Amino acid sequence: MPTLWLDEIGADDLERVGGKAASLGELTGAGLPVPSAFVVTADTYRSFIEATEIDEELFETVDIDSDDSQALAEAAERAQELILETDTPPSVREDLLAAYDEMGDEDVAVRSSATAEDLPDASFAGQQETYLNVSRADLLQRVKECWASLFTQRAIYYRNENGFAHDAVDIAVVVQQMVDAEKSGVMFTSHPSTGGPTAILEAAWGLGEAVVSGAVSPDNYVVDRETGTIEEVTVADKKVMCVRGEDGETIERAVPEDKRDERVLSDEEIHRLIEVGERVEDHYDTPQDVEWAIYEDEVYLLQSRPITTIDESGESADATADAESQPDGADSGVADGGSMQSQSEPVRISGIGSAPGRVTGVVRIVDKLDNLDKVEDGDIIVAEMTTPDMVPAMKRANGIVTDEGGMTSHAAIVSRELGVPAVVGAEDATEKLRDGETVTLDGERGTVEKGAEVPETTEEETADPVEQHSPVKPMTGTEVKVNVSIPEAAERAAATGADGVGLLRTEHMILSTDKTPSRYVEDHGERAYIDEIVDGVRSVAEAFYPRPVRVRTLDAPSDEFRQLEGGEDEPSEHNPMLGYRGIRRSLDRPGEFKLELRAFERLYDLGYDNVELMLPLVTDAEDILRAKALMQEVGIDPEKRDWGVMVETPASALSIEEICEAGVDFVSFGTNDLTQYTLAVDRNNGNVADRFDELHPAVLELMSQVIGTCREHDVSTSICGQAASKPQMVNFLVDEGVTSISPNIDAVRDVQHEVKRVEQRLLLESIR
Ligand code: PEP
Ligand code: MG
């Protein structure tokens, strides 16, 4: 049979109907309120490609090197064309239409349900299609489009990258009654970290997509299931909602003013949802993560999965998070949980603790030109300064120590993102430490001691501090994103549960080629240069999809370019920080800049509509208008794409009115530079480091003015400088009404808690 009804399907039918449909069938069988549906089985897809004899050509077409963007684009186009332009056999057509009529001639939702069991469902499912509001006339075409969605560029690339055979993945399609939800959300039937009888619900207006994709901060309700008490109600400021568009697409709408801060669920609805949740939990005999909707006062169950984050030891993740948060500064990240038995000698070297953790290892002094192969797993790299070509060795290392650099240096940024403890700015580490000796490094306190330590830590205590044990992050109205500088950190950054990437620095991708952009283009051609950027950004955009990723165009000072092949052609500048960098360089070299912009165009074509474009170091609106014209020249429509600028010069802060009028969607404070230029304190100069103060009233005054003006112009505001990880800055900005905060990877959890604390204080103040 090409189609099966949900009540004919159980959990054992995974192979035939895919994960999504199997679970809906199971719930229907248990008498739970699932909207009715039939499934076009995976066999139907398979027999379609075999009976029409397109299978061989299809799999040959996608057998390509997916790093070759041109080949990938052509393969995806041809494969989809093959499916979409081949007629469905008449018997299949009749069966589908008969099933549709039986469901009651109403518009339906058509969703794909992929069947490769070992594929990581969340990420893979994101590559599949969902069509809402599908009429009888469009049904067959939509089903074929679901089939063809197995062959988008992203899906082909993903399977190639992860070693899944194209012909081992089949696809089923669920055709389901539309639930035009008035409200929807998710529910954890038990506490997601302790497994205790505490249910947690998130709810927003409209269709569930807004909650699931993270586009909106939903209301949050905590219920003690034993007593039935609603213990906590957090009403979010819900700016957007998803609704059905006229053409069947899900579209985002502004929430009507009076509903933005209105509570979504009544007590009675909460109790009805909990009752349904308990039935699902009883059915599976394990706590569930449930997607639900309410339509015409009926509760519907859209999906249910087991909660996989429950800590079997019974320790609460929240309690762990609280114990871990640093009272004196999220800046310093999360403390190493284990108690240590010290056998090491008194401090020998001290610097800036720039990536948290305490580790022991053997010193490897690495000279910039030295062969990095001598760094083995577990060693401690000691260098004057790190460079992008050291990243593979940094990944192997247990710790990193540098003579030079501050909290925003390459070594500090990369080590934090890799989760490798580091001490930077230790001045004479390369002289004082000897190659081969064993030392213990404390990336929190910024010290290196001679000798080894025997940690008494358990595996659990030494777990990566950025890993989120609970999928329920503190619900905040202000978004908390994360900064990423090296694509290698993408997965780790995405696992923090951040609301997106607030700053993706592209310079590391380009500097790691070891050639200046112009030399790279000379040697390998424009296409290869564009591909280099596309590949770097793509891995981050993929890991976060559909959460937004703010990608910054090139911003490296000329002294960093001068160290690369081709660097002799770069200007030699007396003060590179005030020189040829950021948008200034880009506007002076429109040819090179347009290649970067073409990389954005390419990413949009690949389907990464979550990529946003950000311009660094602008002085005024004129810089922006000139860059905007170049964007248009390469075919980027500034009206259609989200783009914005960094505010990191006092001039840009003082020109904010004109900058808003230039059409930007957002601005983001680069406080490393804004502080440097406002206070005239070189951010890399240890002699004046004690004067470098992002919380200086002059810096805060500029930021306050910018936020005020942006709010009037409906331009969103953010911070992505190092100070985003400082609690005092978080306090100040949330108070001022900033839209998002983007800290370092190791500070995300603490910042989420800090933001929530401030928001709750503000709420309390407003009602007292
Ligand atoms: C900043 O200046 O704060 C910033 C985030 O940019 P960068 O550190 O890359 O100059
Ligand atoms: Mg900057």
Side-chain angles (χ1 to χ4, degrees):
M1 270 300 281
T3 59
L4 289 173
W5 290 94
L6 286 187
D7 58 11
E8 299 172 284
I9 296 169
D12 299 342
D13 294 308
L14 198 69
E15 293 249 315
R16 291 157 78 199
V17 300
K20 198 178 290 166
S23 118
L24 292 176
E26 182 75 16
L27 294 168
T28 306
L32 286 150
V34 176
S36 74
F38 65 87
V39 181
V40 185
T41 61
D43 294 344
T44 313
Y45 158 76
R46 185 54 66 164
S47 59
F48 161 72
I49 58 169
E50 285 172 4
T52 55
E53 295 178 356
I54 59 170
D55 51 341
E56 248 176 60
E57 187 182 345
L58 190 60
F59 299 125
E60 263 165 36
T61 303
V62 294
D63 184 17
I64 42 123
D65 168 10
S66 52
D67 281 329
D68 176 346
S69 327
Q70 180 96 28
L72 178 62
E74 283 165 12
E77 194 180 334
R78 176 66 195 133
Q80 293 186 47
E81 198 176 75
L82 263 176
I83 293 180
L84 295 175
E85 290 182 3
T86 302
D87 281 340
T88 331
S91 61
V92 172
R93 208 173 318 151
E94 280 159 26
D95 275 332
L96 289 193
L97 292 174
Y100 177 94
D101 292 338
E102 201 177 323
M103 202 149 66
D105 187 19
E106 289 229 356
D107 288 357
V108 290
V110 175
R111 303 176 204 272
S112 46
S113 178
T115 63
E117 243 180 293
D118 46 356
L119 286 173
D121 193 53
S123 143
F124 189 73
Q127 293 163 18
Q128 310 301 314
E129 295 297 341
T130 288
Y131 300 99
L132 304 178
N133 213 15
V134 177
S135 65
R136 189 177 197 274
D138 291 337
L139 179 66
L140 285 167
Q141 188 59 20
R142 291 304 197 198
V143 168
K144 280 207 288 183
E145 283 172 28
C146 283
W147 291 343
S149 75
L150 271 185
F151 298 97
T152 60
Q153 292 190 43
R154 284 185 62 210
I156 299 170
Y157 179 83
Y158 181 87
R159 286 195 296 271
N160 279 357
E161 283 293 290
N162 294 288
F164 296 113
H166 294 292
D167 59 0
V169 183
D170 282 343
I171 190 164
V173 180
V174 181
V175 180
Q176 191 167 32
Q177 176 202 342
M178 285 288 300
V179 175
D180 205 358
E182 286 132 23
K183 30 183 105 167
S184 52
V186 294
M187 159 171 49
F188 295 99
T189 58
S190 291
H191 195 286
S193 40
T194 62
T198 301
I200 297 175
L201 293 100
E202 292 177 350
W205 302 115
L207 303 175
E209 275 84 347
V211 180
V212 176
S213 73
V216 53
S217 288
D219 286 0
N220 186 267
Y221 308 88
V222 179
V223 183
D224 179 339
R225 271 175 42 197
E226 272 171 352
T227 60
T229 321
I230 300 172
E231 289 184 329
E232 253 183 68
V233 175
T234 312
V235 181
D237 177 11
K238 298 165 286 291
K239 297 191 185 75
V240 291
M241 63 195 282
C242 287
V243 293
R244 253 162 84 173
E246 274 176 18
D247 52 2
E249 307 274 302
T250 303
I251 51 171
E252 253 181 45
R253 274 260 166 82
V255 172
E257 203 57 42
D258 57 328
K259 288 186 119 183
R260 269 175 64 157
D261 49 15
E262 189 183 307
R263 188 174 144 174
V264 175
L265 292 177
S266 66
D267 286 4
E268 189 263 339
E269 286 169 328
I270 292 174
H271 291 303
R272 272 162 62 201
L273 282 163
I274 300 262
E275 192 215 309
V276 171
E278 282 177 338
R279 282 167 59 200
V280 186
E281 182 170 314
D282 284 349
H283 175 73
Y284 284 113
D285 204 18
T286 178
Q288 297 288 304
D289 167 0
V290 173
E291 275 174 41
W292 55 265
I294 294 183
Y295 171 53
E296 292 183 340
D297 206 28
E298 291 291 327
V299 169
Y300 288 95
L301 212 59
L302 305 181
Q303 191 161 357
S304 183
R305 281 172 246 136
I307 301 176
T308 51
T309 50
I310 292 173
D311 179 354
E312 297 301 335
S313 74
E315 218 178 87
S316 136
D318 278 355
T320 315
D322 283 341
E324 281 171 347
S325 59
Q326 301 297 294
D328 59 349
D331 190 13
S332 51
V334 177
D336 195 342
S339 61
M340 311 286 260
Q341 197 183 72
S342 180
Q343 293 175 0
S344 58
E345 293 181 4
V347 175
R348 297 186 55 201
I349 302 243
S350 62
I352 305 166
S354 60
R358 193 169 165 91
V359 282
T360 292
V362 173
V363 167
R364 294 289 169 224
I365 309 256
V366 175
D367 180 285
K368 272 175 207 150
L369 309 168
D370 213 356
N371 185 350
L372 291 162
D373 292 348
K374 77 175 189 185
V375 178
E376 289 178 7
D377 281 355
D379 285 348
I380 305 261
I381 294 182
V382 180
E384 266 177 39
M385 189 54 208
T386 61
T387 52
D389 49 359
M390 289 187 190
V391 171
M394 291 167 81
K395 276 205 242 173
R396 290 197 292 278
N398 243 9
I400 295 160
V401 187
T402 63
D403 288 349
E404 296 165 13
M407 278 306 265
T408 61
S409 61
H410 177 267
I413 291 170
V414 172
S415 55
R416 270 198 300 271
E417 290 190 7
L418 293 175
V420 179
V423 175
V424 300
E427 291 183 357
D428 46 8
T430 49
E431 279 165 30
K432 280 200 178 157
L433 294 172
R434 269 178 297 110
D435 211 64
E437 75 176 320
T438 298
V439 294
T440 297
L441 174 159
D442 189 324
E444 189 85 51
R445 285 188 290 160
T447 57
V448 184
E449 298 157 56
K450 202 174 172 185
E453 279 193 344
V454 185
E456 282 180 351
T457 47
T458 64
E459 204 173 289
E460 193 176 314
E461 282 167 333
T462 50
D464 186 342
V466 309
E467 234 170 66
Q468 298 293 298
H469 300 284
S470 161
V472 179
K473 58 185 184 198
M475 291 322 291
T476 58
T478 313
E479 292 168 340
V480 179
K481 299 185 178 176
V482 63
N483 290 350
V484 179
S485 299
I486 51 170
E488 288 90 337
E491 296 293 339
R492 204 166 161 267
T496 60
D499 293 319
V501 173
L503 166 64
L504 172 59
R505 293 181 167 99
T506 49
E507 16 328 328
H508 295 266
M509 293 168 204
I510 292 169
L511 295 172
S512 62
T513 66
D514 232 3
K515 295 183 179 183
T516 61
S518 48
R519 175 60 59 86
Y520 192 90
V521 173
E522 244 171 70
D523 290 354
H524 309 281
E526 293 187 345
R527 181 93 228 171
Y529 182 70
I530 295 172
D531 283 349
E532 199 69 56
I533 303 170
V534 167
D535 288 347
V537 174
R538 173 160 53 186
S539 46
V540 182
E542 177 68 45
F544 275 84
Y545 197 85
R547 290 175 277 174
V549 175
R550 210 162 262 183
V551 183
R552 184 175 75 180
T553 59
L554 194 55
D555 179 18
S558 55
D559 54 335
E560 291 191 20
F561 282 126
R562 279 184 68 79
Q563 298 171 17
L564 307 176
E565 222 182 287
E568 61 283 2
D569 299 331
E570 291 286 324
S572 162
E573 296 185 295
H574 179 61
N575 193 339
M577 276 298 182
L578 294 176
Y580 197 54
R581 57 174 286 218
I583 198 68
R584 308 164 180 191
R585 178 190 174 97
S586 299
L587 292 175
D588 195 52
R589 299 187 176 207
E592 262 172 38
F593 184 47
K594 280 203 257 179
L595 298 180
E596 283 180 65
L597 296 176
R598 279 169 57 195
F600 281 86
E601 246 315 82
R602 176 103 196 81
L603 285 156
Y604 299 139
D605 283 349
L606 281 166
Y608 294 101
D609 48 11
N610 57 333
V611 166
E612 302 178 351
L613 188 154
M614 180 156 71
L615 305 168
L617 214 76
V618 298
T619 304
D620 49 32
E622 193 189 328
D623 277 346
I624 299 165
L625 292 171
R626 286 174 62 196
K628 189 175 173 185
L630 293 169
M631 283 161 62
Q632 282 162 322
E633 267 182 46
V634 305
I636 298 176
D637 181 352
E639 298 301 320
K640 203 165 135 211
R641 303 296 175 191
D642 275 333
W643 67 286
V645 299
M646 294 195 59
V647 168
E648 45 189 350
T649 61
S652 61
L654 297 167
S655 315
I656 194 63
E657 187 94 41
E658 296 79 41
I659 288 179
C660 290
E661 280 158 11
V664 296
D665 297 299
F666 61 82
V667 305
S668 184
F669 296 112
T671 39
N672 307 334
D673 281 317
L674 186 61
T675 306
Q676 143 166 286
Y677 299 132
T678 306
L679 306 181
V681 174
D682 178 349
R683 60 192 260 189
N684 288 338
N685 185 340
N687 296 325
V688 284
D690 59 336
R691 288 181 161 268
F692 188 86
D693 177 15
E694 297 112 322
L695 296 161
H696 190 287
V699 180
L700 298 185
E701 177 56 31
L702 286 173
M703 295 171 82
S704 167
Q705 283 180 26
V706 169
I707 294 175
T709 308
C710 285
R711 283 169 67 115
E712 282 164 23
H713 286 79
D714 215 13
V715 166
S716 62
T717 48
S718 185
I719 175 173
C720 59
Q722 172 64 26
S725 306
K726 293 192 168 171
Q728 301 95 314
M729 183 59 93
V730 172
N731 257 278
F732 168 75
L733 289 175
V734 174
D735 244 335
E736 292 285 324
V738 79
T739 319
S740 66
I741 293 188
S742 189
N744 303 324
I745 187 166
D746 52 289
V748 170
R749 187 191 307 192
D750 286 347
V751 171
Q752 286 168 341
H753 283 284
E754 188 62 29
V755 169
K756 181 165 184 180
R757 254 194 296 274
V758 183
E759 288 180 348
Q760 284 182 334
R761 172 174 58 72
L762 291 173
L763 270 175
L764 276 175
E765 279 170 9
S766 72
I767 53 173
R768 269 178 188 152

